Amino acid sequence: MVKLFFLLLFFPVVLLAQTDWQKWEKKDVSYQRTAPFLERDYSLSGEDVFGSATKIFINTYWVLFSNLDGDNCPFNPTCSSFLHQAAKRTNPVKAVLMFTDRFTRDMNPFNRGSNYPVHIAGKFYDPVELYLLEENSVHYLSPSHMVQ
Amino acid sequence: MKIISILFFCYSLSFAQSQLFNSPQEVKKFADYLYCEFDYLRAAEEYQKFLRTDKNDTVIFKSVLSYYMMDRFSDVLNFSVSSSRNFVFYDDTQFLKLISLFRLNMFNEFDTTAALIKMIGSKLETNSEKLIRFTFLMRDSISSKGFIVSPFDETEKTTIEKFYDRKQNPHYKSPLLAAVFSSIIPGSGKVYADKLGDGIFAFLTTGVFTFLAYDNFKADHKFRGWLFGGLAGLFYAGNIYGSAAAAQIFNAGVQFNFQNDIQIYLTKKKHYLPEYDFCN
């Protein structure tokens, strides 16, 4: 009886003694940097004709250039996202004008720090709302402001 | 020996904690200490603890004052609602409420409280009049310079007059004019809207594409000519649009800086709140 008791006790002890195998086992470490900008939404759902055309164009740009080139746009939202948002918020003509203006501003590397507030991700915050030319759409943020 | 030990044990129990550290008086003493050490948030919490069991006008006011010091204006409003006319610091609490409404930009409620302060003949009526004048500067209402500067003494009048002049004649840029400038010389609208770098790059971009279009047409490369011509046109039109938007953003910045300067000035003046010395 005693033997059986010890035998029964032995198995749970062996099974439960060390539950943290995961902690000590060998693990393949990856030294590659994570790239959150690659987690992109490629879907075309909820888009109108112009929105879909713009999204296809942007998706192509993302796959062929941006994903390979890396996270290089200094702005938040990025220029391609800016175009997409502008297409959603306004009409095609206005969206293209807003995008070309943004593209020109992107080419200017000087004094960005004194012109744009910084987003918490480290990019210059430049939202679509500022460029809609609509009453009360401009919510000014000081360049010294950190956008969450 | 046993008897001595038992007696010793009993005496230890009875004398060990003769002072109740959580008694209201001890809590108040600790809160006062925290308040004088400028640890306002913890002081407010201790005052709250005291007020759960006891009532004291000074404690209520110091609690409100602690919240004000921590910029917790919603908490200040919650407290000042419950204060009655018999309250010793009623005028002061109403004034703190007025400041909080000002800081929270709740101007409709501000007007009601300001009217109440005037009606009851508060000892802080002059101070509240000064705050009222600042709300006129921050709102879209037009008043004469004499009316705005009237409650202020000579040392402040010049500064208030400058604020008034900035309000009446803000250095806004016209979005239409910016667009017109950019349509004449690409980028000039951006320069007018205080974006010199963007203006120069807009000029260069449009200029380079226009030259490429011209050069390709000249060399009879029609496709490339139309391609670069189209791009030049897009950047030209985009720059006109962007110049108008830049002027609009500039104007929003002027308004923001004006309101920000008022807030900085009032913070320096401690919103005309009298000095309270509860620590000496």
Side-chain angles (χ1 to χ4, degrees):
Chain A
M1 189 66 189
V2 176
K3 272 184 184 174
L4 186 69
F5 174 75
F6 277 108
L7 202 63
L8 283 172
L9 189 71
F10 175 75
F11 287 110
V13 165
V14 169
L15 286 172
L16 302 174
Q18 191 151 352
T19 54
D20 57 344
W21 293 108
Q22 197 69 33
K23 195 175 171 183
W24 301 105
E25 73 180 4
K26 183 177 169 288
K27 195 177 177 186
D28 293 323
V29 180
S30 167
Y31 293 100
Q32 277 190 321
R33 276 179 68 186
T34 54
F37 80 98
L38 290 174
E39 293 157 14
R40 285 166 157 162
D41 178 20
Y42 294 91
S43 72
L44 299 174
S45 58
E47 304 281 353
D48 56 8
V49 179
F50 177 66
S52 301
T54 316
K55 197 73 209 311
I56 290 166
F57 172 72
I58 291 167
N59 285 353
T60 312
Y61 165 73
W62 282 349
V63 171
L64 294 182
F65 299 97
S66 184
N67 289 357
L68 305 172
D69 192 33
D71 186 16
N72 289 324
C73 185
F75 290 109
N76 180 292
T78 59
C79 291
S80 50
S81 300
F82 187 92
L83 173 62
H84 183 226
Q85 286 178 27
K88 271 192 159 178
R89 298 281 298 268
T90 61
N91 55 60
V93 177
K94 208 169 170 179
V96 171
L97 292 180
M98 285 167 75
F99 172 72
T100 48
D101 174 54
R102 162 61 101 83
F103 198 73
T104 317
R105 282 184 286 112
D106 189 17
M107 282 188 281
N108 171 21
F110 304 111
N111 290 330
R112 280 173 178 160
S114 59
N115 284 330
Y116 305 98
V118 178
H119 190 263
I120 198 156
K123 304 279 183 180
F124 295 105
Y125 185 62
D126 188 46
V128 173
E129 290 76 33
L130 289 175
Y131 302 92
L132 295 173
L133 284 185
E134 287 169 3
E135 280 292 315
N136 304 321
S137 69
V138 181
H139 297 293
Y140 183 82
L141 291 172
S142 162
S144 59
H145 188 87
M146 172 70 85
V147 183
Q148 297 290 327
Chain B
M1 189 62 195
K2 265 186 186 174
I3 294 168
I4 292 170
S5 302
I6 290 164
L7 279 173
F8 184 73
F9 178 72
C10 294
Y11 280 123
S12 321
L13 278 182
S14 52
F15 287 111
Q17 196 148 347
S18 58
Q19 219 170 1
L20 292 169
F21 288 112
N22 281 320
S23 70
Q25 286 318 308
E26 288 302 318
V27 169
K28 183 180 170 296
K29 211 186 269 181
F30 181 50
D32 285 343
Y33 168 78
L34 291 170
Y35 181 90
C36 293
E37 289 292 313
F38 313 111
D39 196 347
Y40 296 113
L41 196 59
R42 285 174 68 203
E45 281 170 10
E46 292 300 320
Y47 284 134
Q48 295 286 319
K49 206 194 277 181
F50 172 84
L51 290 171
R52 265 176 235 142
T53 53
D54 229 323
K55 281 275 172 273
N56 180 318
D57 283 4
T58 312
V59 170
I60 294 172
F61 181 63
K62 281 169 88 173
S63 184
V64 180
L65 203 55
S66 300
Y67 282 129
Y68 163 75
M69 293 293 192
M70 293 303 298
D71 285 359
R72 301 221 347 201
F73 302 114
S74 305
D75 290 316
V76 174
L77 293 180
N78 289 340
F79 249 95
S80 35
V81 166
S82 57
S83 69
S84 70
R85 190 72 186 93
N86 303 325
F87 179 47
V88 178
F89 291 97
Y90 182 74
D91 291 0
D92 309 78
T93 314
Q94 286 302 318
F95 188 60
L96 273 175
K97 181 184 174 183
L98 198 70
I99 296 171
S100 303
L101 291 167
F102 180 85
R103 290 296 303 274
L104 294 169
N105 289 335
M106 295 164 72
F107 291 126
N108 289 334
E109 291 87 345
F110 178 93
D111 289 340
T112 316
T113 310
L116 177 74
I117 287 173
K118 206 169 183 176
M119 197 178 73
I120 60 170
S122 165
K123 63 178 181 179
L124 296 171
E125 197 184 325
T126 318
N127 303 35
S128 71
E129 281 298 322
K130 288 178 182 176
L131 270 189
I132 291 166
R133 296 309 192 272
F134 275 105
T135 61
F136 276 106
L137 288 174
M138 289 180 82
R139 285 190 272 188
D140 293 330
S141 53
I142 302 160
S143 309
S144 70
K145 192 187 262 186
F147 172 73
I148 295 290
V149 297
S150 59
F152 299 94
D153 54 29
E154 290 304 317
T155 51
E156 279 189 274
K157 263 186 182 164
T158 320
T159 315
I160 307 303
E161 278 174 356
K162 277 182 188 166
F163 276 131
Y164 181 82
D165 292 339
R166 274 175 73 183
K167 166 81 179 174
Q168 291 300 100
N169 306 302
H171 296 295
Y172 286 156
K173 309 275 183 183
S174 160
L176 182 68
L177 206 57
V180 170
F181 280 152
S182 272
S183 61
I184 297 166
I185 305 169
S188 58
K190 290 263 182 181
V191 177
Y192 165 72
D194 211 27
K195 303 277 184 197
L196 178 67
D198 289 347
I200 292 168
F201 275 87
F203 180 79
L204 288 174
T205 317
T206 318
V208 165
F209 280 124
T210 310
F211 170 75
L212 286 171
Y214 166 76
D215 202 44
N216 278 288
F217 276 126
K218 209 174 140 189
D220 210 25
H221 296 307
K222 282 194 176 161
F223 173 75
R224 276 186 267 168
W226 282 114
L227 180 72
F228 288 122
L231 284 171
L234 269 180
F235 278 98
Y236 173 75
N239 178 242
I240 293 171
Y241 181 92
S243 298
Q248 206 182 40
I249 295 165
F250 178 88
N251 294 345
V254 168
Q255 211 172 351
F256 174 86
N257 288 332
F258 174 69
Q259 299 207 345
N260 196 39
D261 288 349
I262 285 182
Q263 293 291 7
I264 290 169
Y265 181 78
L266 282 173
T267 307
K268 271 186 194 164
K269 289 276 169 192
K270 293 179 179 168
H271 297 87
Y272 301 102
L273 188 73
E275 289 283 332
Y276 298 99
D277 190 8
F278 289 115
C279 297
N280 293 315

